[in-house]
Amino acid sequence: MIKKYVMAMMCAFAVLPVCAQETYENARLAGRDLNGTARYVGMGGAMEALGADISTIRTNPAGIGLFRHSKGFVSFGMVSQDDAKKFADGKPTVMSFDQAGFVFSLHSSGRSYVNFAFNYSKSRNFNQILSAASHLDGASQNKLSFLKGMEGVFSIPSLDDGRPQLNDYGEIVSPDNTFSQLDYLYYNTLLYNPNLPVDEQYGFYDADGYRMNRANSGYIGTYDFNVSGNINDRVYLGATIGIHDVHYKGYSEYTEHMLPNMDNVETTMLDDSRSITGTGVDVRLGVIFRPIEYSPFRIGLHVATPIFYDLTTSNNTRLSYTGFDGNGTIGESYDFEFRTPWEFGVSIGHTIGNSLALGASYEYADYSDCKTKISNGGYYDDYWGDYYEDNISDRAMNSHTNSTLKGVSTIKLGAEYKAMNNLALRVGYNYVSSMYSKGGFKDGTIDSPGSYYSSSTDYTNWGATNRITCGVGYRVNKFNFDIAYQYSQQKGDFYPFLEYMAEDPQSGLDNLCGHQKVENNRHQLLFTMGYTF
């Protein structure tokens, strides 16, 4: 029976001593965009063996070893999303400061050099507006919370007479990790009616459609420090230490239209804001060598350690619906650790005279190996006067990540043609395979703090990314001016919540939502100015 009474309240979520993050939230931080100097982007990033561009500091550090003069660079431009309408603070077109850095080249002896470099780049641009809407055949987000409780995914402590045991604030809570922030909101504002008989106190509302709007913004800024050099102009070696600065913000509004009901609840709306900030560090090593002494043909190899992130996430989530004049809100802030996978790459490059440069690269990273750690707080050593963090692997969520994400292959192809001595034309292409396994889903039934602190149920399984690039470069004395254009295309399957099959197939309580096709197509215009000194 659908209930009429709701509780109007607001209270901080019961604080657990452990914190972790969920797979799909972590996936936002994994991988990187094709970004850097306009020359690098114009050639599709296929410069890992060609080198002599500061953007290779982030891919193959040995590429910095090919510089013979000191240079400085700065890049900026704009990013625009296809078929997107302004939502909240999200804008379809934004300006972007993308890169700034320099290379200091020192002649060592003979044909050998030692180079030092620093570069800032925007490795991830989170700006995106996502909109999705579709029909629901009786399924709903609140029904998912109801089924999780009814079928024992989480437990609600009960009194002897069967009524739920409320906490000191008069709230329904659960000690289980599978009781998410959304479950908390629904049970304390929509799903429970203490005025009904015990066996009728829980109920749900069916929906016939939904609409989701989300605006993401922010970036990951990467600060790279490099030392590199060459041995007799045949072997080039390089190492880069990278510091990653995360600034992510997301705001969403999820609305469901309910089927006619006795309580005249027409719609429910969940608005959720989340931020992720913090830093990470990684190390990259690279080598480029010319196997034939008098040939410009080059082979490059590079490897990157995982990025070890130390992050803080916070959210504020509010549930409202027709006829409810209370304040159903919740918010949390916690720290967690996240580790990306190792990355490996191989590349080739060749120049023909002084007019044509060709490059190709292949990179592989197994994102199913991403890891999350639970923060159990820490302890203070009285003897030494030091504080130690006590973090352990989140085995349950890591197992889910292993089955949801997969290995990603990146193929880069690029060419540069010097039409004149001071004028260059460039083209490039990228293919990046999907990070998500077929049939992957956001599982709110995992016994993990990542489920407990979750404040949204939607997820998108994004497919492969295709990028087409082109550009032009012009040199005047010690200055170079480069412009690049990039078009990126990606499709995905959006799900508003986990599809849930009831244990009893005859119960009619299956909660199936289907998926909606969405796209993330972006244009980027990039300008770089460089100076040789």
Side-chain angles (χ1 to χ4, degrees):
M1 178 177 180
I2 296 178
K3 61 163 195 68
K4 186 173 182 179
Y5 176 84
V6 295
M7 298 178 63
M9 38 60 69
M10 182 276 182
C11 183
F13 207 41
V15 178
L16 283 182
V18 292
C19 304
Q21 185 79 328
E22 188 272 334
T23 296
Y24 281 84
E25 291 291 338
N26 284 335
R28 300 182 192 276
L29 309 178
R32 65 178 182 271
D33 298 331
L34 174 62
N35 204 13
T37 66
R39 183 185 181 217
Y40 180 82
V41 172
M43 292 185 67
M47 301 190 68
E48 281 73 32
L50 291 171
D53 189 283
I54 197 167
S55 294
T56 61
I57 196 173
R58 178 99 297 262
T59 50
N60 186 348
I64 305 299
L66 277 86
F67 278 94
R68 293 294 172 268
H69 302 281
S70 300
K71 295 193 71 171
F73 306 84
V74 62
S75 304
F76 55 91
M78 68 175 186
V79 177
S80 181
Q81 184 180 345
D82 267 355
D83 301 324
K85 297 181 180 179
K86 185 180 185 302
F87 170 70
D89 292 334
K91 300 178 181 178
T93 302
V94 296
M95 301 300 295
S96 179
F97 178 71
D98 295 283
Q99 178 273 330
F102 66 88
V103 177
F104 186 61
S105 183
L106 293 174
H107 182 251
S108 176
S109 63
R111 302 167 63 189
S112 300
Y113 286 77
V114 176
N115 297 336
F116 300 90
F118 165 79
N119 190 52
Y120 162 82
S121 64
K122 189 173 288 184
S123 59
R124 290 282 293 184
N125 188 328
F126 293 122
N127 285 281
Q128 181 191 15
I129 298 173
L130 176 66
S131 298
S134 189
H135 176 73
L136 290 172
D137 187 16
S140 68
Q141 192 181 69
N142 74 85
K143 184 178 179 180
L144 174 62
S145 291
F146 171 82
L147 289 172
K148 287 171 65 179
M150 185 189 74
E151 298 197 341
V153 174
F154 55 76
S155 61
I156 297 176
S158 300
L159 300 174
D160 293 339
D161 61 2
R163 292 181 295 114
Q165 181 178 340
L166 306 181
N167 67 7
D168 293 340
Y169 299 97
E171 305 161 347
I172 294 177
V173 294
S174 171
D176 301 322
N177 283 328
T178 47
F179 188 73
S180 71
Q181 295 192 56
L182 293 187
D183 297 327
Y184 167 87
L185 286 176
Y186 277 123
Y187 270 88
N188 284 287
T189 63
L190 193 67
L191 301 182
Y192 172 65
N193 183 354
N195 295 330
L196 294 177
V198 171
D199 59 350
E200 299 177 3
Q201 287 182 337
Y202 295 105
F204 61 89
Y205 293 84
D206 289 318
D208 65 4
Y210 72 87
R211 176 174 294 278
M212 162 65 81
N213 288 299
R214 171 175 284 119
N216 296 334
S217 62
Y219 61 93
I220 299 179
T222 300
Y223 302 84
D224 288 316
F225 302 84
N226 172 277
V227 59
S228 58
N230 76 82
I231 303 173
N232 294 323
D233 209 24
R234 288 284 303 276
V235 178
Y236 310 85
L237 304 170
T240 295
I241 296 177
I243 298 174
H244 306 261
D245 186 23
V246 179
H247 298 271
Y248 167 82
K249 288 185 178 180
Y251 174 76
S252 65
E253 292 179 356
Y254 176 73
T255 304
E256 288 183 338
H257 184 269
M258 298 300 157
L259 291 169
N261 56 80
M262 61 182 291
D263 303 312
N264 296 318
V265 176
E266 298 177 355
T267 60
T268 63
M269 187 175 81
L270 192 78
D271 57 82
D272 177 67
S273 60
R274 179 171 290 276
S275 68
I276 303 174
T277 58
T279 58
V281 63
D282 72 340
V283 176
R284 290 177 173 264
L285 302 173
V287 59
I288 299 172
F289 61 93
R290 294 192 294 112
I292 304 172
E293 183 176 2
Y294 298 105
S295 170
F297 177 75
R298 299 188 280 271
I299 298 174
L301 301 170
H302 61 272
V303 60
T305 69
I307 303 175
F308 296 89
Y309 281 114
D310 189 356
L311 302 164
T312 299
T313 184
S314 60
N315 73 286
N316 188 276
T317 308
R318 181 172 66 93
L319 175 66
S320 59
Y321 53 90
T322 310
F324 176 55
D325 57 2
N327 187 19
T329 63
I330 191 170
E332 274 298 326
S333 180
Y334 60 89
D335 301 328
F336 69 101
E337 293 184 6
F338 173 58
R339 193 206 77 186
T340 65
W342 286 81
E343 180 184 300
F344 304 91
V346 59
S347 53
I348 56 175
H350 187 59
T351 57
I352 301 175
N354 294 320
S355 60
L356 184 63
L358 303 171
S361 303
Y362 173 80
E363 296 172 346
Y364 180 80
D366 185 3
Y367 287 95
S368 69
D369 193 44
C370 289
K371 302 296 184 185
T372 303
K373 282 191 174 182
I374 297 172
S375 174
N376 277 331
Y379 63 92
Y380 185 79
D381 187 325
D382 292 326
Y383 183 80
W384 295 104
D386 294 326
Y387 182 81
Y388 296 92
E389 294 287 343
D390 185 15
N391 299 324
I392 60 174
S393 175
D394 185 353
R395 296 183 182 275
M397 188 59 68
N398 290 338
S399 177
H400 176 257
T401 299
N402 185 261
S403 62
T404 302
L405 305 183
K406 62 181 182 179
V408 172
S409 295
T410 300
I411 298 173
K412 304 177 184 179
L413 303 173
E416 178 183 69
Y417 173 68
K418 286 189 177 181
M420 299 170 58
N421 197 36
N422 59 349
L423 178 67
L425 306 176
R426 300 159 186 140
V427 294
Y429 171 73
N430 271 196
Y431 172 81
V432 184
S433 65
S434 173
M435 183 188 298
Y436 299 91
S437 300
K438 187 176 182 179
F441 57 91
K442 187 173 186 176
D443 190 353
T445 68
I446 299 173
D447 184 13
S448 161
S451 299
Y452 189 87
Y453 287 105
S454 179
S455 60
S456 63
T457 59
D458 68 281
Y459 61 96
T460 304
N461 288 332
W462 291 105
T465 301
N466 288 276
R467 301 178 179 127
I468 299 173
T469 68
C470 61
V472 60
Y474 186 72
R475 178 181 293 276
V476 180
N477 297 323
K478 292 185 176 183
F479 289 92
N480 64 273
F481 304 92
D482 301 279
I483 297 176
Y485 167 77
Q486 175 184 181
Y487 179 67
S488 175
Q489 184 182 56
Q490 188 179 35
K491 297 181 179 179
D493 295 328
F494 173 88
Y495 294 81
F497 45 78
L498 167 69
E499 293 196 310
Y500 198 93
M501 301 290 292
E503 290 183 355
D504 181 4
Q506 306 300 320
S507 67
L509 291 177
D510 291 345
N511 203 43
L512 307 180
C513 59
H515 68 269
Q516 181 72 12
K517 294 291 184 181
V518 292
E519 295 185 355
N520 180 25
N521 302 329
R522 301 201 298 180
H523 305 268
Q524 181 189 23
L525 189 62
L526 188 64
F527 174 77
T528 297
M529 182 176 69
Y531 178 74
T532 302
F533 58 93

